[in-house]
Amino acid sequence: MQARESNREDAPAPSGEIPRHIAIIMDGNGRWAQQRGLDRTWGHRQGVKALKPIVKEAARMGVEVLTVYAFSTENWRRPSQEVDVLMTLLVEFLARETAELKGEGVSLRTIGDIGRLPAGAQQSLAWARAETAEETRLILNLALNYGARDEILRAVNRWVGESGEKELTEDTLSRYLDTAGLPDPDLLIRSSGEYRISNFLLWQLAYAEIFISDKLWPDFDPAEFRQAIRSYQARNRRFGGLG
Ligand code: FPP
């Protein structure tokens, strides 16, 4: 009988090249809750819980950067009660998990225009970032009030205001993006079976491999994460050349 893929912390890591940077669109919280007759916000609560084991697994495998889409520029259009719950969950997550993340060598950062988040969320983020600033094992990048078009426009406008240059190069734009200094994602994972980019890291995902998981995000677990990495390892990345 085939052994069921284990979620144990000592399950073997996929052998082969580990992606340096993995980006995740954590989709399907609402459907997870609705399937159970619960309010959508329960899906977000479960979604936050699903995140920690993935962060730990990524750190264990030697991934350098994990960028997760926690709140998009479009998510403000949701009912204010849902937005409030998401912001509260963020603050609770940081208060509850920062010490353990620090213990795992995780440095917490953000991308997105966080100046528009509620003051309490901004304070928690500043605190968590400072607490974990010295850690070097894994960067956990929370995309918050993030939209790739917004990011690119902010970058270009800042470049226009600061540089005095006439021509923008790929390298320069990359240095003005929120992800400055980070490698581009090698692998994009999206849960819940949807085949969309949803305004996530449009510039940085240029050559990323894509893995779509049918699991709704609250059900996404380390075994599925390893499955995504094995799928990545089986690809032949050519970056537009002949390989
Ligand atoms: C998409 O599910 C998910 C979101 C809009 C938010 C993702 C947020 C979390 C997983 C939790 C927040 C994270 C932190 C770190 C506090 P959806 O609501 O669009 O699901 P649906 O497509 O089934 O409706």
Side-chain angles (χ1 to χ4, degrees), residues 68-76 87 90 110-118 122 125 142-148 150-151 154 178 199:
V68 296
Y69 211 175
F71 193 87
S72 75
T73 46
E74 289 73 32
N75 286 153
W76 296 108
M87 294 301 152
L90 170 65
T110 60
I111 56 171
D113 188 1
I114 60 166
R116 286 199 48 219
L117 298 180
Q122 291 187 47
L125 286 165
L142 300 177
L144 290 162
N145 189 27
Y146 177 85
D150 176 69
E151 176 194 33
R154 282 188 287 106
D178 297 347
N199 201 14

Side-chain angles (χ1 to χ4, degrees), residues 26-31 40 44 48 51 70 75 78 90 217:
M26 307 182 288
D27 193 18
N29 295 344
R31 274 164 285 168
R40 294 173 50 80
H44 296 315
V48 180
L51 180 58
N75 286 153
R78 297 193 175 197
L90 170 65
W217 176 253

Side-chain angles (χ1 to χ4, degrees), residues 47-57 93 97 100-101:
V48 180
K49 281 193 196 159
L51 180 58
K52 187 163 87 171
I54 303 303
V55 176
K56 288 173 93 167
E57 184 68 2
F93 170 81
E97 306 296 353
E100 189 176 336
L101 291 175

Side-chain angles (χ1 to χ4, degrees), residues 5-232:
E5 174 74 60
S6 162
N7 273 321
R8 287 171 46 148
E9 290 192 4
D10 57 358
S15 56
E17 185 210 316
I18 298 295
R20 293 182 67 193
H21 184 171
I22 299 179
I24 308 184
I25 301 177
M26 307 182 288
D27 193 18
N29 295 344
R31 274 164 285 168
W32 184 94
Q34 279 157 353
Q35 284 175 3
R36 288 161 179 75
L38 301 168
D39 186 76
R40 294 173 50 80
T41 53
W42 283 100
H44 296 315
R45 277 177 217 286
Q46 276 319 113
V48 180
K49 281 193 196 159
L51 180 58
K52 187 163 87 171
I54 303 303
V55 176
K56 288 173 93 167
E57 184 68 2
R60 187 172 78 100
M61 289 189 321
V63 174
E64 292 170 42
V65 187
L66 186 67
T67 299
V68 296
Y69 211 175
F71 193 87
S72 75
T73 46
E74 289 73 32
N75 286 153
W76 296 108
R77 295 192 209 127
R78 297 193 175 197
S80 62
Q81 184 249 3
E82 184 173 341
V83 171
D84 289 349
V85 167
L86 281 165
M87 294 301 152
T88 303
L89 287 172
L90 170 65
V91 171
E92 289 174 1
F93 170 81
L94 296 170
R96 193 176 61 236
E97 306 296 353
T98 297
E100 189 176 336
L101 291 175
K102 184 179 162 77
E104 297 275 339
V106 176
S107 175
L108 213 132
R109 301 211 204 147
T110 60
I111 56 171
D113 188 1
I114 60 166
R116 286 199 48 219
L117 298 180
Q122 291 187 47
Q123 280 159 13
S124 296
L125 286 165
W127 169 78
R129 189 182 170 116
E131 279 291 302
T132 60
E134 306 294 317
E135 304 306 327
T136 55
R137 191 173 175 208
L138 171 74
I139 292 170
L140 173 60
N141 224 353
L142 300 177
L144 290 162
N145 189 27
Y146 177 85
R149 288 184 172 183
D150 176 69
E151 176 194 33
I152 292 168
L153 284 183
R154 282 188 287 106
V156 171
N157 285 326
R158 199 155 61 82
W159 172 78
V160 168
E162 287 177 5
S163 76
E165 294 164 2
K166 285 218 164 62
E167 205 172 299
L168 191 52
T169 64
E170 288 193 12
D171 276 353
T172 304
L173 179 55
S174 295
R175 280 190 282 109
Y176 276 83
L177 293 174
D178 297 347
T179 49
L182 302 178
D184 284 343
D186 305 292
L187 172 64
L188 170 71
I189 298 173
R190 181 168 188 144
S191 59
S192 93
E194 304 283 353
Y195 288 69
R196 282 194 295 277
I197 302 278
S198 300
N199 201 14
F200 193 40
L201 299 170
L202 294 180
W203 177 269
Q204 299 89 334
L205 288 172
Y207 293 104
E209 298 292 329
I210 301 178
F211 180 85
I212 306 292
S213 166
D214 283 333
K215 285 186 186 279
L216 301 176
W217 176 253
D219 295 327
F220 192 91
D221 57 17
E224 185 75 354
F225 187 61
R226 286 193 294 276
Q227 194 55 41
I229 289 167
R230 276 194 290 269
S231 166
Y232 167 84

